[in-house]
Amino acid sequence: MEMFAQFSVGGQRMYGMLHVPDGPAPAQGWPSVVLVHGFTGNKVEGHRNFVLLARRLAAAGVAALRFDCRGSGESQGDFAEMTVSREVEDVEAACDYLRGQPNIDPERLMLLGFSMGALVGCLALGRVRPHRLALWSPALPELWLRHLRGGFLPPVVTDMNGWPLGRDFLQEVVRTRPLEAAARWGGVAHVFHGDADQTCPPAWGVAYAQALGCDATAIPGAGHTYDSLEQVEMLHAATVRFFKGF
């Protein structure tokens, strides 16, 4: 079953899609996963990765919520206002929303973050206390250093290929410490990374796995967005197995 979801932060509405397994829920409720999209991404993601994964999870008995952070996709707000700390708030609100749904087990809520969504997810760990954590192609703050030419912050808003990139985002993101947040958590996690990723190098996935004290799975030949049917199948199958191991 799929249904529209909406919840608010700071007076701005966020929109998403909730996928719930068919049939009667177990006595304690369904386990669930919140999916956190990447930088300039949305609740669909490339190759419909989030749609396909959410449906696969639901078919395997795990509910899933995919949503647009404020300023992205269909949610309210402007992308120029987007910051890491705002997205951490968005993730917390999404988790609170999902935990409050009928037939959802609040103790078995899990988290998946893709690219910048992985960075945001790690910074949100202390707030949302997920049962399990999966990271796809996790980003580190170094990804945005190229926007700080000469070490100087750009104007208030920069035209980044048609995206209004806010100065506040750049000022904040390079100061975040997602690896330290990951190391403090101590829960069950797994990292998935394409071994040909040129956006977020595979070494970054290794660094997250070391901080989390968990295993990492390399997807052979895969770039940042997993650009073949074989790579997508391998990624999705391994991710569902991890979440089914609750």
Side-chain angles (χ1 to χ4, degrees), residues 39-119:
F39 183 67
T40 71
N42 56 60
K43 64 181 176 293
V44 175
E45 279 300 353
H47 313 301
R48 302 176 74 218
N49 257 330
F50 274 13
V51 178
L52 298 175
L53 178 69
R55 289 175 176 168
R56 190 163 181 164
L57 283 166
V62 180
L65 172 65
R66 51 188 180 86
F67 71 100
D68 296 324
C69 291
R70 285 174 291 172
S72 294
E74 297 178 311
S75 290
Q76 293 182 340
D78 194 285
F79 188 80
E81 303 170 329
M82 183 272 302
T83 64
V84 170
S85 57
R86 278 172 60 92
E87 292 209 348
V88 169
E89 293 174 349
D90 296 346
V91 171
E92 184 177 12
C95 292
D96 287 345
Y97 170 84
L98 186 51
R99 282 189 166 115
Q101 295 305 298
N103 298 321
I104 296 295
D105 181 353
E107 298 300 321
R108 290 188 296 166
L109 180 143
M110 300 174 280
L111 193 63
L112 181 147
F114 166 60
S115 193
M116 192 180 96
L119 180 154

Side-chain angles (χ1 to χ4, degrees), residues 156-186:
V156 175
V157 176
T158 300
D159 184 342
M160 187 195 70
N161 301 320
W163 288 95
L165 184 62
R167 176 189 180 111
D168 288 346
F169 168 77
L170 292 173
Q171 188 171 28
E172 181 188 56
V173 69
V174 296
R175 297 175 179 174
T176 60
R177 298 291 182 267
L179 294 179
E180 293 180 11
R184 287 193 299 269
W185 181 51

Side-chain angles (χ1 to χ4, degrees), residues 9-10 16 19 22 44 68 74 108 110 115-116 121 143 153 166 182 192 194 200 204-205 211-212 216 224 229 243 245:
V9 175
H19 300 249
D22 292 326
V44 175
D68 296 324
E74 297 178 311
R108 290 188 296 166
M110 300 174 280
S115 193
M116 192 180 96
L143 181 62
L153 284 167
F192 302 87
C200 295
W204 292 3
L212 290 162
H224 192 60
L229 295 176
F243 283 132

Side-chain angles (χ1 to χ4, degrees), residues 35 81 115 178 199 203 223 237 246:
L35 311 181
E81 303 170 329
S115 193
T199 301
F246 52 81

Side-chain angles (χ1 to χ4, degrees), residues 188-242:
V188 179
H190 200 101
V191 177
F192 302 87
H193 213 116
D195 66 7
D197 192 336
Q198 297 184 16
T199 301
C200 295
W204 292 3
V206 173
Y208 272 99
Q210 290 174 340
L212 290 162
C214 72
D215 292 332
T217 296
I219 307 299
H224 192 60
T225 52
Y226 306 93
D227 298 321
S228 80
L229 295 176
E230 182 180 11
Q231 293 163 8
V232 168
E233 170 59 25
M234 186 178 299
L235 175 68
H236 289 190
T239 302
V240 171
R241 282 197 301 272
F242 170 69

